[in-house]
Structure formats: structure tokens, C-alpha cells
Amino acid sequence: MLNIEEKNSQLTNNPFLTKWKRDPNLEIRLACVEDGLDNTGFRKISAYIKSIHTNTKIAYIPTSNYRNIIGQLTERGGVTFGDKDIYNVAKYMSEGDIAAFSSMTQSSFTVYKIIDQVRKLNPNTFIIWGGIHAIIQPEDAIKYADAVCTGEGEFAFETFLNLFKNGEDFTTAPSFWFKIDNNIIKNRNLPLMTPKEMDELPPLTYEDGEIVYQRGKGFREINIKNFIDYTGLAYGTVWSIGCPLHCTYCGNTKFIEYDKGYRRIRHSSPEIIIEEISRAISKQPHLSVVNFYDDSYLALPYEQLEEFCKLYKKKINIPFAIYGVIPTYVREDKIALLLDAGLNRIRMGIQSGSENILEFYKRPTKLKRIKEATVIFNKYKKYMVAPAYDIIIDNPIETQEDTLATVDLIYEMPRPFTLNVYSLRVIPNTDMAKQLEDRGVDIPSITKYYGSGYHRTMANSLIFALTFWKIPKWLYKILRKKVYPIQMKQPHYSILFTLARTGYMLKRAYDHLRFLDFSILPGKVGYYLWKFKIISLWQKFFTKRFHLTDISPKVDPKADPKADPKADVSPKV
């Protein structure tokens, strides 16, 4: 064990530790490099960092707008930044003593270029990379950054920052990897935050002095126009963290590899999430819907949902959508409870109609349970925008029977519904990446936008068409004979596919406009409809609202123990 003199000598003689500006007044610059302004994780950690170090500047670097209608129609995802954009962003970040980036893997190539330019402009800026990409593929991120955060970053960054500012050995900070010359120091991750600790976090960053990069204009202070352009009338957030599943294609598998506790559902109290939403609405009164991006919202215990709903109706009382729904946890009593509080839209993961492919994805829910969930949603169709179901296509592992099973499932589903159709992409370091590598199968990585590059097959054409047209049985039988998996040689139906996808998007827009819901439709139209009170009048006089006092779901707890409103079915590991 080193004595104090030996330790001080080691710190003084290590160029990596002495190179950087290390004093209490250093400046931190944080940047979120993604395709929008919705990154809840970045807003959470940026708020925490600013609460412990006031000399912190927060910036959004939108690489594109994934809600852009033209981009969706033309299958254009993230747009590559030009050299001028890279330079402008890098110049701003290089003026900080610490430059910290957050990104998903889709945006990692843009971050590579920005970091490279920062190095040239100011070699003395300490560079950190965090967020999903750094957690899932730290081996890649550490090639470019001085440090990589590999877990929940709030408390880890605080430890690092205290060591860094005080001239101590910051390479001991937990939940970080550090690169010194050709050596990498890998430190263990801190335990996951407890619900009590989540309650004590500061409010998420939301119009608190952030700036946003605009092409051709440079950095500007974020304003109402930015929110309307990127998020429409919606406020996006996450109440609960964790997912009980272990899907092979999902980045959560890496989180679970670090800490199996990630499969437990953790959340702040209902009061805290209500305070967060109230604060956002006080800053942007046009907000007319809340989007919850939790991975498994319906796995929350009934009692917690009940408390949330009471507070939400009393203090918020605008429509909300839940994006992370696992069929296993769909219960009619929970759906009725949420509808009474203002639920108007649901997104549920199905992925495939084939038991074989569901097993390949390690999705434990059987088709019978999936079908039951869609029937429950359909009972309340007049109160909700058509539910959206996730489907993965273009999987080279599928047989003809697998592809047919998915098309048949969609054909038989109760209407109305829509789909989120994803062309299969591989996230590095996931179980699927390893599976496909073992099989010698090569498919595009997640860096290629999964909402583009669809194969123009009959199967894919039918999947889109069935969202707006229940094809007559006789015609469906004829078209079904032309369904093959993508790896088989087959005709391509470019015109049919384009017509089907255009019809799908028009039907989806209609489903939202019927409720004057602008949670996925950005731009000024929704804002002016709100401003002139057309949305509030429409919702008051033309939108049907479900009330628990009017209709009680007929549930027999003896027949289905999970249906007991007092039963806690939150996942345990």
C-alpha cells in the first residue's frame, strides 16, 4: 500500500493526471447528439450535473428530426453532418474544460468526427462519452474519448468530478473506463439507484438555459419553436426504469449483464413524476399530451398506478400515451384505470407472429396472450387512438412459415390498429449480435436507420396494407401465396409497397387527427389549433372520455388471479 508521499509522487508524475485543468471553477459542456430533443436520460443527468456544478452548459445537437413527415415518407433517417457543422459543434465543445457527449449508437459516427475535431482545436479538453452507445459498446467509445461512463451516471459523475477538481486520482471513479496511452482502466459499476434516491434527484432539464444547434445558424437558446418542431405538442418522459425481459435484439441485455437488478422495475413516487410534468407545462403551456417511454409501464403495481391516476387527473388532466407495453402485463383493470385518468394511446411490442421467431428473440409471451391483449385494447377503441404494435421484419432467420405467421396474425387482429414496422438491425454487443455472428449471418447494424431500407416484398407490402385495409378473404388467399422470407429469391413489388406504405401513413395520421392528437405530428399546425382553443373544444365536445363510474370491466379474479386489482404482478428477479 502506497504512503501519502508515494501517492502524491505518482499523481505528480503521471502526465495523464496532470495534463488537464483541475480546479473548482472549471467549465463543463454537455452535449446530446441524437435525432431530436426527447432524450430523457440526458435531461436527467444534465440536471444532476448542473445541480452539483453550476458552471455547466447544456446543448442539444439534433442530427435530424425522426418525426419529420417527409423524412418518414422518403425513408430517410439520420442525416450526416457536413464538415462545417462538425467544426461548429466541436469549436463550442472544445471551449469547455470537460466536454461530455451522450448518444445512441445511431449517432456514434457523428460523435467520432466531433471528438476528432475537438482534439485538434483544444488537446487539453477532457472528453467523456456516456449514454446508450457508451454503455452498450464501451470498447468502441473508449477508442475516441478519454473516459467512458458504463452505467447510471449521476452519482458516478459526481465521484469523478470531485476527484478531478481536487487533483486526485480520478481514474478510480466507479462506473467509468479510462484510456491512458494504450491501456484501459475498467472500474466496476455502482449499484443501481434506489427509488428513494430517484425521488431526491433534481427536476429534469427542460428549458433551463439549454442551447440547440441549428444548421446554418449555429447555437441558439432553446425556445418554443424548437419544441414544436421536434416534439409537437407532446412532453416525453420516463417514470419507471428496468425491464423484466431479456430480448436478444435489445440494448437492455447489456444493462442486465452489468447488473441483473436492471430487470426489476424501479421508479420515483407518483408525486415526483407529477411535479415534473407540472413543471414542464408551466414552461410550455401548449403541451397537450404526455408520452411515457418506460420499457414496461404496465408492470407497475396496481396501487402505484392508482395513486398516479388520482394525482394525474387532479393536477395534469391532459391525454397521455404509454409506449412500453409487454403483452404479459396487459390487464383490463389497469387499462380501465389508466383510461379514466386520460390514457389515449398505447404502443405494445409484438415483434412476430411466429412462436419460433419469438423464441429466437427470447420473447416469453405466447401468441395466445398477445391476442388476448389486443382484444382488451379493442374493447376500448372508441376512447383511444388506434393502438400501435411493434413488428420486426426483414429477418433472414425466418422461414416461409414464420413470415406467413406474422402476416396472418396481423390479418386476424381486431381493428383498428396501426404498426411500428422496424427493419431488423443489429445493436453491437447484444445477444442477437453474437447469435448472428455464430450463424455467419450479416445484416445492417443499428447505425442504419431501422425505418428505412425495407425489402419491397409481398410480405412487407401486406404488413403495411393491412393496417388500413382488411383485404377480402379471397384476395388475401391469392396474395398470401406470394409471401416468402427475404432470403428467398422472389419478385419485388415497389409500386405496391409504396402505395401500401403511403396508405399506412395516411391512416395513421387520420387516427391521430380524429382525436386532434399531435404527439407524433410536429409543426405549427397543432400549435395554432391549441392556441385558438380548437383542441380543448374538440376534446371536450367530440372526444369520448372513459369513466370508471360509467363502465366497470367485467373481471373475475377467481378465473384470472392476475386480474385482482390488489395483486402485485410487478416482476421479481
Side-chain angles (χ1 to χ4, degrees):
M1 185 174 179
L2 297 176
N3 59 38
I4 294 176
E5 290 77 13
E6 289 172 326
K7 188 172 182 180
N8 288 338
S9 174
Q10 188 182 68
L11 290 172
T12 304
N13 295 326
N14 188 330
F16 181 75
L17 297 175
T18 58
K19 174 181 179 181
W20 322 101
K21 177 182 177 181
R22 304 176 65 181
D23 67 58
N25 297 317
L26 61 80
E27 182 174 298
I28 300 173
R29 297 199 172 189
L30 308 175
C32 178
V33 185
E34 289 192 12
D35 56 357
L37 305 178
D38 274 355
N39 190 317
T40 304
F42 176 76
R43 291 170 48 223
K44 183 158 71 86
I45 192 169
S46 62
Y48 190 81
I49 292 173
K50 194 164 186 177
S51 75
I52 60 173
H53 188 81
T54 54
N55 192 14
T56 297
K57 296 183 178 179
I58 303 167
Y60 291 97
I61 321 292
T63 53
S64 65
N65 185 350
Y66 73 93
R67 287 191 175 95
N68 181 275
I69 296 173
I70 295 175
Q72 291 287 333
L73 284 170
T74 57
E75 297 183 41
R76 291 171 55 207
V79 180
T80 304
F81 265 25
D83 291 342
K84 185 177 180 181
D85 297 310
I86 296 294
Y87 177 83
N88 290 340
V89 172
K91 186 175 186 301
Y92 169 80
M93 295 300 290
S94 69
E95 292 169 1
D97 301 302
I98 294 176
F101 297 89
S102 173
S103 83
M104 300 184 77
T105 300
Q106 293 96 315
S107 304
S108 59
F109 286 96
T110 302
V111 179
Y112 299 160
K113 295 176 184 178
I114 296 171
I115 290 177
D116 181 62
Q117 193 63 241
V118 170
R119 298 271 190 216
K120 295 174 182 176
L121 291 166
N122 185 0
N124 295 320
T125 295
F126 189 85
I127 297 173
I128 300 174
W129 197 341
I132 301 297
H133 180 68
I135 293 173
I136 292 175
Q137 205 175 8
E139 303 88 351
D140 177 71
I142 199 64
K143 295 175 186 175
Y144 304 89
D146 298 306
V148 166
C149 184
T150 58
E152 290 184 338
E154 287 78 8
F155 302 151
F157 190 91
E158 184 173 19
T159 301
F160 158 80
L161 184 61
N162 288 333
L163 294 169
F164 191 92
K165 290 194 298 186
N166 295 328
E168 299 180 57
D169 184 3
F170 58 80
T171 63
T172 62
S175 303
F176 273 94
W177 287 13
F178 297 93
K179 181 177 64 180
I180 304 178
D181 298 324
N182 293 322
N183 299 315
I184 298 174
I185 296 173
K186 302 178 182 180
N187 297 328
R188 64 174 178 79
N189 281 2
L190 285 173
L192 298 173
M193 261 189 267
T194 65
K196 183 176 184 298
E197 289 169 332
M198 294 169 75
D199 275 350
E200 294 168 352
L201 294 173
L204 273 63
T205 301
Y206 192 75
E207 203 181 8
D208 293 307
E210 313 98 288
I211 58 175
V212 60
Y213 182 75
Q214 300 177 11
R215 293 188 182 196
K217 299 178 182 178
F219 285 97
R220 298 285 188 274
E221 187 169 340
I222 202 164
N223 57 44
I224 186 172
K225 184 179 183 302
N226 302 132
F227 288 114
I228 290 168
D229 287 345
Y230 283 97
T231 60
L233 304 186
Y235 175 75
T237 190
V238 172
W239 180 20
S240 63
I241 300 175
C243 181
L245 303 187
H246 199 282
C247 305
T248 59
Y249 52 79
C250 182
N252 284 343
T253 58
K254 195 66 179 177
F255 298 179
I256 295 167
E257 181 184 316
Y258 288 136
D259 192 327
K260 286 185 170 51
Y262 193 81
R263 298 184 74 175
R264 291 182 180 273
I265 306 299
R266 296 171 293 133
H267 59 89
S268 59
S269 66
E271 290 84 1
I272 294 298
I273 189 66
I274 294 299
E275 286 176 12
E276 176 199 327
I277 297 168
S278 297
R279 180 175 184 266
I281 294 173
S282 71
K283 295 190 172 205
Q284 298 289 339
H286 68 271
L287 294 173
S288 302
V289 64
V290 178
N291 293 337
F292 288 96
Y293 296 114
D294 306 40
D295 285 327
S296 186
Y297 190 96
L298 287 181
L300 288 161
Y302 184 93
E303 290 79 3
Q304 287 295 304
L305 291 175
E306 190 173 36
E307 186 178 350
F308 163 82
C309 288
K310 288 178 182 176
L311 291 170
Y312 192 92
K313 283 180 68 176
K314 181 179 179 181
K315 297 187 177 183
I316 309 298
N317 200 31
I318 61 174
F320 66 93
I322 54 177
Y323 274 57
V325 173
I326 299 171
T328 307
Y329 297 102
V330 174
R331 288 170 32 185
E332 189 170 342
D333 60 323
K334 286 186 175 182
I335 298 301
L337 179 71
L338 293 166
L339 280 168
D340 181 69
L343 174 67
N344 81 330
R345 188 158 63 91
I346 282 176
R347 171 184 165 187
M348 182 176 76
I350 292 177
Q351 317 313 347
S352 175
S354 162
E355 297 279 13
N356 176 48
I357 295 301
L358 290 176
E359 185 177 338
F360 173 70
Y361 292 149
K362 290 189 179 177
R363 298 277 298 180
T365 307
K366 298 298 182 183
L367 289 174
K368 179 177 181 292
R369 191 69 188 90
I370 291 172
K371 293 173 182 177
E372 288 172 353
T374 64
V375 170
I376 290 174
F377 297 149
N378 192 253
K379 282 186 67 173
Y380 301 97
K381 61 186 177 183
K382 63 183 177 181
Y383 306 108
M384 292 194 293
V385 177
Y389 304 128
D390 292 356
I391 294 290
I392 298 175
I393 61 174
D394 297 338
N395 183 343
I397 302 300
E398 286 186 351
T399 65
Q400 185 174 14
E401 289 73 22
D402 295 327
T403 306
L404 283 168
T406 296
V407 178
D408 287 343
L409 175 70
I410 295 169
Y411 184 79
E412 297 296 340
M413 278 199 301
R415 295 170 177 276
F417 65 87
T418 190
L419 301 174
N420 296 311
V421 185
Y422 301 111
S423 189
L424 184 62
R425 300 288 183 260
V426 175
I427 300 176
N429 275 353
T430 56
D431 289 354
M432 176 173 286
K434 297 165 189 171
Q435 285 177 312
L436 295 176
E437 185 179 353
D438 291 342
R439 295 186 183 213
V441 176
D442 183 26
I443 64 173
S445 78
I446 197 68
T447 54
K448 182 178 180 182
Y449 180 51
Y450 43 65
S452 67
Y454 301 113
H455 290 255
R456 268 59 175 165
T457 62
M458 178 58 72
N460 291 350
S461 300
L462 287 175
I463 284 171
F464 281 108
L466 288 171
T467 62
F468 64 90
W469 183 29
K470 182 67 179 281
I471 301 171
K473 195 76 173 178
W474 65 269
L475 179 57
Y476 178 70
K477 287 180 178 179
I478 295 172
L479 298 175
R480 189 179 182 277
K481 293 176 182 178
K482 302 178 185 296
V483 169
Y484 303 101
I486 61 165
Q487 71 272 19
M488 288 183 65
K489 188 176 181 180
Q490 58 187 296
H492 276 203
Y493 303 88
S494 297
I495 296 176
L496 177 61
F497 178 88
T498 301
L499 291 172
R501 192 162 178 272
T502 301
Y504 150 82
M505 297 195 77
L506 290 172
K507 171 60 164 55
R508 187 160 194 174
Y510 166 77
D511 287 338
H512 282 264
L513 291 174
R514 190 164 63 91
F515 286 80
L516 285 192
D517 178 284
F518 288 85
S519 56
I520 65 169
L521 299 170
K524 295 179 181 178
V525 173
Y527 173 74
Y528 284 116
L529 289 174
W530 167 81
K531 186 174 182 179
F532 294 113
K533 302 189 182 301
I534 295 173
I535 289 178
S536 59
L537 289 171
W538 185 270
Q539 291 176 347
K540 182 176 181 179
F541 294 107
F542 299 103
T543 301
K544 291 184 181 295
R545 183 76 180 261
F546 176 83
H547 299 285
L548 279 173
T549 54
D550 297 336
I551 306 172
S552 297
K554 296 177 182 179
V555 177
D556 181 2
K558 294 180 181 178
D560 181 6
K562 283 187 178 180
D564 181 3
K566 300 302 179 184
D568 181 357
V569 296
S570 55
K572 302 291 191 296
V573 179

